[in-house]
Structures are given as structure tokens and as C-alpha cells.
């Protein structure tokens, strides 16, 4: 592995069993803004870019949820293609990130329906998504599955 391919703050690790065959290990390579998949014996299988600061992963049926520390949550399908960036709003992200992320300490300025710093996300048994944010008071959001 050359230096440019090394992990930079591998933050979340998950056993991905969405595909037939052997499960794979997926790693949220946070500072490199990507997810990487490996076989259980350590062979690199694939990489998906398109994240900002991916913090963790969880799966439910064919979906994977990835909390992205910069104000959004990403969904991937069974082929590991990005299907949605939930909460994507570049103007809001600019507001969240300015002044060294000071907004995380100012709950009176937070907006319903807008993420600040999603640090973890998981599915419940019904496929709803629970997002936990790393902010001054802590913040948990329930995203209800519609279909």
C-alpha cells in the first residue's frame, strides 16, 4: 500500500452482509472522505468517494447509511452507489462550518430538519434512521421510513 492509499482516521468499521456470498468489512476512512471495502482476510475490494467526513456506517436490507460529519447523511444502495444525501444544503453547511463550527454550541440557532454534525446513524428494525449528532447538548433525530 503506498502512502496516498493509507487510511487517515479510520473511524467506523462495519461488517457488510448486504450482498450474497461472504460478508465484507467496510471502513469509514474519514479524512480521506471515502469508504473502503475489504474481504475478511484483508484484501482491498473497492473504494467509494463522494463523502466529506464519513464517520460510521450501518445497514438495513439493501441500504447503507453513512453519517457525514459536515451536515449531511448519505444513503448507498446494494451496489454501493450513492442514492441520496439527506439534508444536503451547501449554504447551511457553510453556516455550520464557519467560525470553527461554533454553531454546534448554539442550540437556539439550530434548524429543525437540518443536520449539524452527524456522528453516528443506524437503522431500527423497521428501517427508520436514527441520527446522533456530536453537538454541545447532544442531538438525536428520527427519520421515519416512508415506503
Amino acid at each position: 500500500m503506498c502512502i496516498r492509499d493509507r487510511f487517515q482516521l479510520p473511524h467506523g468499521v462495519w461488517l457488510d452482509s448486504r450482498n450474497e456470498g461472504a460478508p465484507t468489512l467496510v471502513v469509514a476512512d474519514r479524512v480521506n472522505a471515502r469508504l473502503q471495502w475489504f474481504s475478511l482476510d484483508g484484501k482491498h475490494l473497492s473504494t467509494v468517494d463522494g463523502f466529506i467526513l464519513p464517520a460510521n456506517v450501518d445497514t438495513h436490507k439493501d441500504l447503507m447509511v453513512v453519517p457525514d460529519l459536515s451536515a449531511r447523511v448519505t444513503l448507498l444502495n446494494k451496489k454501493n452507489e450513492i442514492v441520496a444525501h439527506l439534508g444536503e444544503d451547501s449554504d447551511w453547511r457553510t453556516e455550520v462550518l464557519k467560525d470553527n463550527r461554533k454553531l454546534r454550541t448554539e442550540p437556539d440557532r439550530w434548524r429543525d430538519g437540518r443536520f449539524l454534525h452527524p456522528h453516528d446513524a443506524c437503522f431500527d428494525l423497521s428501517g427508520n434512521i436514527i441520527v446522533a449528532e456530536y453537538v454541545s447538548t447532544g442531538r438525536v433525530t428520527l427519520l421515519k421510513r416512508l415506503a
Side-chain angles (χ1 to χ4, degrees):
M1 182 182 295
C2 67
I3 289 179
R4 68 177 177 79
D5 293 330
R6 290 186 183 165
F7 290 118
Q8 289 192 37
L9 193 58
H11 198 270
V13 179
W14 187 257
L15 193 61
D16 186 359
S17 57
R18 293 174 298 148
N19 295 304
E20 291 90 37
T24 57
L25 189 69
V26 59
V27 179
D29 188 2
R30 190 158 90 183
V31 174
N32 285 325
R34 63 189 180 190
L35 298 182
Q36 293 194 63
W37 278 261
F38 297 87
S39 65
L40 296 185
D41 62 0
K43 179 184 174 198
H44 179 264
L45 301 173
S46 64
T47 297
V48 174
D49 297 303
F51 300 94
I52 302 169
L53 292 168
N56 211 339
V57 298
D58 190 28
T59 57
H60 177 74
K61 298 184 180 177
D62 289 346
L63 289 177
M64 176 177 280
V65 62
V66 182
D68 221 333
L69 292 173
S70 291
R72 74 177 184 196
V73 173
T74 300
L75 291 175
L76 284 77
N77 64 17
K78 188 176 183 176
K79 296 179 183 179
N80 297 327
E81 300 165 327
I82 295 172
V83 294
H85 290 300
L86 307 176
E88 179 62 33
D89 181 330
S90 60
D91 292 336
W92 176 247
R93 180 178 302 102
T94 298
E95 184 70 20
V96 168
L97 298 178
K98 77 178 185 182
D99 298 327
N100 199 27
R101 297 183 176 100
K102 184 178 179 186
L103 187 61
R104 292 187 338 187
T105 65
E106 301 174 333
D108 57 316
R109 294 184 51 218
W110 300 351
R111 289 196 223 157
D112 290 340
R114 296 284 183 219
F115 298 114
L116 289 112
H117 199 68
H119 195 264
D120 199 0
C122 62
F123 290 98
D124 68 11
L125 293 176
S126 299
N128 301 309
I129 299 171
I130 301 161
V131 180
E133 295 188 76
Y134 185 66
V135 293
S136 62
T137 64
R139 186 178 186 205
V140 177
T141 301
L142 173 65
L143 303 173
K144 290 192 173 192
R145 182 176 175 213
L146 298 176

